[in-house]
Amino acid sequence: MELYTKALVAGQEAFGDEHPEVTSIMNKIGNLYYEEDNFDAALKTYLEGLGVERSVLGEDHPNLTVILTNIGQIYKHKYECMLALKHYHEAHVIQQKLLGSFHPSVATTISSIGLLNYHRGHYDCALNFYQELLLGRDNCDVAIIMYNIATVQFDRGDEDEAMKFYRETLQIKQAALMCVNFAIGLVGTARFAIVDIAVNVALQEEEKERVDF
């Protein structure tokens, strides 16, 4: 922390308060506070950095999404769901504009929004975000999302719909496990083949040495 604080002072003296290098250091200081569970200090640092970044970089710069999601995470830990959602939504709007709908960062933010709505008991809203996540995902991601959807359906009292999604999740997981087992089998076969080739080569070299002798 001391090194980052000194770097911040040096950066402010060299570049002034409103410079991307300064906000980068502030974000790192906020991360350290967050790791220490000092959420109030982390939030204060993130908010200061956000104000500078907006002033310097504008409203649609990708750097904003990092600090916005960090702030959302802090508010989530402080159980201030509305403020967490506000910052996640802002990050989501920028991410979709810059990265499109299928980027992993977009998926992470949407998942956070869905989870917050689930914990608030806003099941329909949570489902909307989880269903948005299903588009363009691979099987591993789909299984996780469908499990979340099933959990939401169960908690809202729709057990039949929940069972449908739980079964589909199970089928995806079973298919993935079969693929893994098949891959392990291939690796095992390949290893035996390599050993077999190595033995054959050794035997051939030994036979050659005998002939040459």
Side-chain angles (χ1 to χ4, degrees), residues 7-80:
L8 178 61
V9 172
Q12 287 171 329
E13 289 176 352
F15 305 114
D17 292 339
E18 296 191 351
H19 191 278
E21 288 296 330
V22 173
T23 59
S24 176
I25 297 168
M26 292 177 73
N27 197 49
K28 290 172 182 174
I29 291 172
N31 292 344
L32 285 175
Y33 281 130
Y34 176 80
E35 289 170 5
E36 295 171 353
D37 293 336
N38 190 346
F39 298 136
D40 289 333
L43 181 60
K44 180 176 181 293
T45 306
Y46 286 144
L47 288 171
E48 287 177 9
L50 179 63
V52 175
E53 285 196 339
R54 278 183 164 148
S55 175
V56 175
L57 303 174
E59 293 291 334
D60 294 331
H61 195 277
N63 286 9
L64 289 177
T65 64
V66 176
I67 199 163
L68 282 167
T69 52
N70 286 344
I71 292 169
Q73 189 79 355
I74 292 290
Y75 279 125
K76 185 176 77 171
H77 280 291
K78 289 167 65 68
Y79 301 102
E80 297 183 46

Side-chain angles (χ1 to χ4, degrees), residues 15-153:
F15 305 114
D17 292 339
E18 296 191 351
H19 191 278
E21 288 296 330
V22 173
T23 59
S24 176
I25 297 168
M26 292 177 73
N27 197 49
K28 290 172 182 174
I29 291 172
N31 292 344
L32 285 175
Y33 281 130
Y34 176 80
E35 289 170 5
E36 295 171 353
D37 293 336
N38 190 346
F39 298 136
D40 289 333
L43 181 60
K44 180 176 181 293
T45 306
Y46 286 144
L47 288 171
E48 287 177 9
L50 179 63
V52 175
E53 285 196 339
R54 278 183 164 148
S55 175
V56 175
L57 303 174
E59 293 291 334
D60 294 331
H61 195 277
N63 286 9
L64 289 177
T65 64
V66 176
I67 199 163
L68 282 167
T69 52
N70 286 344
I71 292 169
Q73 189 79 355
I74 292 290
Y75 279 125
K76 185 176 77 171
H77 280 291
K78 289 167 65 68
Y79 301 102
E80 297 183 46
C81 290
M82 292 305 297
L83 286 170
L85 281 170
K86 174 180 179 291
H87 287 85
Y88 280 134
H89 276 297
E90 287 183 38
H92 181 217
V93 170
I94 298 170
Q95 286 172 334
Q96 280 203 314
K97 187 182 294 184
L98 298 177
L99 304 173
S101 298
F102 304 128
H103 193 276
S105 296
V106 178
T108 301
T109 305
I110 293 174
S111 182
S112 296
I113 294 170
L115 185 62
L116 276 169
N117 278 294
Y118 167 71
H119 286 309
R120 294 175 68 221
H122 293 190
Y123 297 136
D124 289 340
C125 191
L127 283 173
N128 287 338
F129 280 101
Y130 284 141
Q131 286 163 351
E132 183 181 342
L133 278 175
L134 287 174
L135 301 174
R137 309 296 169 199
D138 61 33
N139 280 352
C140 181
D141 289 334
V142 167
I144 295 169
I145 297 161
M146 293 188 76
Y147 180 85
N148 289 339
I149 291 173
T151 302
V152 173
Q153 297 283 19

Side-chain angles (χ1 to χ4, degrees), residues 192-208:
F192 282 120
I194 290 168
V195 171
D196 189 49
I197 291 168
V199 170
N200 285 336
V201 169
L203 289 172
Q204 288 172 10
E205 288 179 350
E206 184 180 344
E207 185 66 26
K208 182 180 178 184

